Amino acid sequence: TLHSSDNCIVTKRIGDDTVYMNRKSNCATGAPIAEPSIKVVVYPNPGSGVFMCKQNNEPVLAEDVKIYTAQGTQLASFYNMHMFNIGHLPAGMYVYSITINRIKYTGKLVKV
C-alpha cells in the first residue's frame, strides 16, 4: 500500500506488478525457472474411504499423510503408506497433507 502527501492511498497486489513477476520468473543466470513437473494426487477423489497416493499418475510411498477438517483439526495420520483408509470418518470434504521425499503436498479430498 502506497501513501502520498495528499492522502491518496493505492494498494497493489504483487501479481499485478509485471516487472516484479518477470524478474521473479528468472533465476540468477537469467534462465526461466522451470515449473515443477511433479503432480501428487489422492485417488479416487471422491472416494468411499480407501485412497491411494499417486505421483505423476503412479502409486507412490508417502512418508507421511495427515487428514484435516476444513477448519484445520487433524483427524488422522498415516506413515510410510501407499494407501490410507478414512472409512471411519463421516462423508465430507477434508484437507490432506502428504510428504513424499521430504516435500509436502496439500490438497482436498471428498469422502462419499
Side-chain angles (χ1 to χ4, degrees), residues 27-48:
C27 66
T29 63
I33 298 172
E35 290 294 319
S37 61
I38 298 172
K39 182 175 176 135
V40 174
V41 295
V42 169
Y43 179 84
N45 194 1
S48 61

Side-chain angles (χ1 to χ4, degrees), residues 8 11 18 34 45 50-51 59-60 64 74 78 97 102 108 111:
C8 180
T11 301
T18 56
N45 194 1
V50 177
F51 294 89
V60 66
D64 182 49
Q74 183 176 325
F78 306 93
S97 169
R102 296 185 313 228
K108 296 177 183 173
K111 180 180 179 270

Side-chain angles (χ1 to χ4, degrees), residues 27-102:
C27 66
T29 63
I33 298 172
E35 290 294 319
S37 61
I38 298 172
K39 182 175 176 135
V40 174
V41 295
V42 169
Y43 179 84
N45 194 1
S48 61
V50 177
F51 294 89
M52 179 183 294
C53 302
K54 287 189 165 190
Q55 182 177 32
N56 295 335
N57 214 24
E58 294 292 327
V60 66
L61 180 68
E63 299 155 18
D64 182 49
V65 177
K66 290 188 171 52
I67 306 299
Y68 301 92
T69 65
Q71 294 76 28
T73 304
Q74 183 176 325
L75 300 174
S77 294
F78 306 93
Y79 302 98
N80 298 317
M81 311 273 297
H82 290 92
M83 294 185 200
F84 59 93
N85 186 345
I86 58 168
H88 63 285
L89 296 177
M93 184 168 63
Y94 298 95
V95 176
Y96 64 83
S97 169
I98 298 177
T99 304
I100 299 171
N101 296 326
R102 296 185 313 228

